[in-house]
Amino acid sequence: MERSVSVPVLVSRPEVPYVGIRRSVTMSTFSEVADRLPDVLAWMDAHSLAPAGPPFFRYHVIDMERELLVEAGVPVDESIAQPGGDVAPGVLPAGTYAVTTHVGHPDELVQVTADLLAYGDAHGWVWDRHETPDGDAWGSRLELLLTDPRVEPDMSRWETQLAFRLADVPST
């Protein structure tokens, strides 16, 4: 199947509570966070919580040459108290997000991300990010996993939505 990517659009997203597990990983050890999504879902099931949207990876800090601080998360209907253990609550901030949808193998997401960032830069979008000694810190940079691998095992058919928050730019 040939890769398919939608033209980026700007979307207003509400604040969304979630639970997740955060890890420092490298590109070669990304599975250490990705493989924790079933743990988050099992924790939710044990606490009678249903997902309120697709699971996602939230990139908090990115240094592609060294480490990435990434969270495997699942939206919930309402904020919850600190659950304990590896699972922690969080909130995806409301705001304007640049969104594009990719159908294809997850390995292609590095290029899809580069294309989204370049498109946004070319259109004057200001990203919600800033530089830190550990890398680029993002207010909210998401990969939403729209395909259930139990239903569609062919990774070349997986649908992933990228949603990167734009900075709140004061009107003049």
Side-chain angles (χ1 to χ4, degrees), residues 124-142:
W125 297 347
V126 179
W127 305 109
D128 180 11
R129 74 172 176 206
H130 63 278
E131 291 182 25
T132 73
D134 295 326
D136 281 346
W138 284 79
S140 190
R141 178 170 160 169
L142 307 171

Side-chain angles (χ1 to χ4, degrees), residues 111-124:
Q111 185 60 53
V112 174
T113 296
D115 293 347
L116 174 59
L117 292 171
Y119 184 94
D121 291 345
H123 286 79

Side-chain angles (χ1 to χ4, degrees), residues 17 21 33 36 39 53 64 86 97 118 121 134 152 157:
I21 296 176
V33 71
R36 298 304 305 270
D39 298 335
M64 295 296 282
D86 282 349
Y97 285 73
D121 291 345
D134 295 326
E152 177 54 75
R157 296 179 179 268

Side-chain angles (χ1 to χ4, degrees), residues 26-124:
T26 64
M27 287 304 291
S28 62
T29 64
F30 192 84
S31 63
E32 292 176 14
V33 71
D35 292 348
R36 298 304 305 270
L37 269 174
D39 298 335
V40 175
L41 291 165
W43 183 90
M44 291 176 63
D45 191 48
H47 291 84
S48 301
L49 293 170
F56 60 84
F57 298 118
R58 181 178 184 184
Y59 293 79
H60 291 277
V61 180
I62 300 172
D63 181 337
M64 295 296 282
E65 302 303 314
R66 296 183 299 159
E67 283 191 330
L68 303 93
L69 182 57
V70 182
E71 196 165 18
V74 179
V76 292
D77 284 325
E78 57 188 54
S79 296
I80 60 168
Q82 178 67 27
D86 282 349
V87 177
V91 175
L92 300 175
T96 301
Y97 285 73
V99 175
T100 189
T101 302
H102 166 259
V103 177
H105 197 284
D107 287 347
E108 298 168 349
L109 289 172
V110 170
Q111 185 60 53
V112 174
T113 296
D115 293 347
L116 174 59
L117 292 171
Y119 184 94
D121 291 345
H123 286 79

